[in-house]
């Protein structure tokens, strides 16, 4: 495992998950619900920033590694899954939406792994649609975590809910896009195995 700054940032993102979840288990006389929301939002937002930063530093410092390429998406999926589960627990997100997003991440990760094993990983490379889905999700989650109105007219819960529903639709759409790209390989390899 290469020891470098991008990988350290990725590990910090993973280590932040228990802290992020644990915030909501602190007694309210230690940290009020409003402050719990604020701290959790800051931790998640910080993790999202390090997600961008570790990839940027890996390119700029020429410290990209196979291990980093593996660990980075794992850290992202763990943090997002933890946030979605927390939001369901808090009653701010419907469980089916969380299941759609988490289920898609598991499905596409498994699909990418299999496609890489057969040398066809470019067929399921990250698409523009996937990037829009991720952007919508990464804006929605902090808004849902924060939960308070921002100013007089900005209802973070309502806007976060709209964005997470958009992310769920894009999640399904992008999953079908990846599956469609993989079907020819599945059929080709299935027929090869039958010979």
């Amino acid at each position: 495992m290469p020891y470098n700054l991008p990988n350290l940032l990725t590990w910090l993102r993973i280590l932040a998950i228990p802290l992020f979840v644990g915030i909501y288990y602190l007694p309210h006389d230690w940290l009020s619900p409003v402050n719990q929301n604020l701290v959790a939002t800051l931790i998640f937002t910080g993790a999202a920033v390090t997600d961008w930063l570790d990839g940027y530093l890996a390119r700029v410092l020429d410290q990209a590694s196979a291990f980093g390429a593996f660990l980075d998406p794992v850290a992202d999926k763990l943090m997002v899954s933890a946030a979605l589960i927390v939001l369901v627990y808090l009653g701010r997100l419907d469980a089916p939406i969380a299941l759609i997003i988490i289920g898609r991440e598991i499905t596409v990760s498994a699909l990418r792994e299999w496609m890489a094993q057969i040398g066809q990983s470019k067929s399921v490379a990250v698409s523009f649609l996937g990037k829009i889905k991720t952007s919508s999700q990464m804006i929605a989650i902090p808004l849902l975590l924060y939960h308070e109105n921002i100013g007089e007219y900005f209802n973070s819960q309502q806007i976060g809910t709209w964005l997470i529903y958009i992310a769920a639709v894009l999640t399904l759409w992008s999953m079908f896009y990846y599956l469609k790209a993989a079907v020819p390989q599945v059929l080709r390899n299935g027929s090869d195995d039958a010979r």
Side-chain angles (χ1 to χ4, degrees):
M1 175 184 77
Y3 294 98
N4 56 40
L5 184 56
N7 285 349
L8 175 62
L9 289 173
T10 305
W11 277 114
L12 286 175
R13 203 154 69 249
I14 293 171
L15 293 173
I17 294 169
L19 177 63
F20 166 77
V21 174
I23 290 295
Y24 287 103
Y25 287 91
L26 292 175
H28 289 168
D29 55 339
W30 288 16
L31 200 61
S32 70
V34 170
N35 287 331
Q36 287 176 334
N37 291 337
L38 177 61
V39 172
T41 302
L42 291 174
I43 292 171
F44 184 87
T45 303
V49 169
T50 64
D51 177 30
W52 171 81
L53 187 60
D54 62 14
Y56 173 77
L57 290 174
R59 290 187 297 276
V60 169
L61 301 175
D62 195 26
Q63 293 182 341
S65 65
F67 180 76
F70 155 76
L71 190 63
D72 182 62
V74 169
D76 299 342
K77 287 166 182 44
L78 287 173
M79 182 55 106
V80 167
S81 297
L84 294 173
I85 291 166
V86 164
L87 289 169
V88 170
Y89 168 76
L90 294 171
R92 299 178 195 171
L93 178 66
D94 294 330
I97 298 299
L99 287 171
I100 286 169
I101 295 172
I102 294 170
R104 180 265 190 199
E105 295 301 340
I106 293 168
T107 302
V108 171
S109 294
L111 180 64
R112 283 193 177 125
E113 177 67 25
W114 180 74
M115 293 294 278
Q117 286 180 4
I118 64 170
Q120 296 295 325
S121 57
K122 289 183 181 177
S123 300
V124 286
V126 176
S127 70
F128 181 68
L129 184 61
K131 290 180 181 179
I132 294 172
K133 180 271 303 178
T134 300
S135 298
S136 177
Q137 186 174 276
M138 296 308 249
I139 295 168
I141 291 172
L143 290 173
L144 292 170
L145 287 169
Y146 186 64
H147 194 60
E148 306 297 323
N149 286 349
I150 301 169
E152 191 176 342
Y153 301 107
F154 192 90
N155 184 327
S156 62
Q157 180 65 37
Q158 185 177 48
I159 294 170
T161 300
W162 291 341
L163 286 172
I164 204 72
Y165 273 82
I166 290 168
V169 170
L170 293 174
T171 288
L172 290 173
W173 191 358
S174 64
M175 183 178 73
F176 289 126
Y177 169 85
Y178 292 128
L179 289 172
K180 183 180 174 186
V183 164
Q185 301 303 324
V186 171
L187 295 175
R188 187 175 302 123
N189 279 282
S191 63
D192 290 345
D193 292 343
R195 290 177 188 165

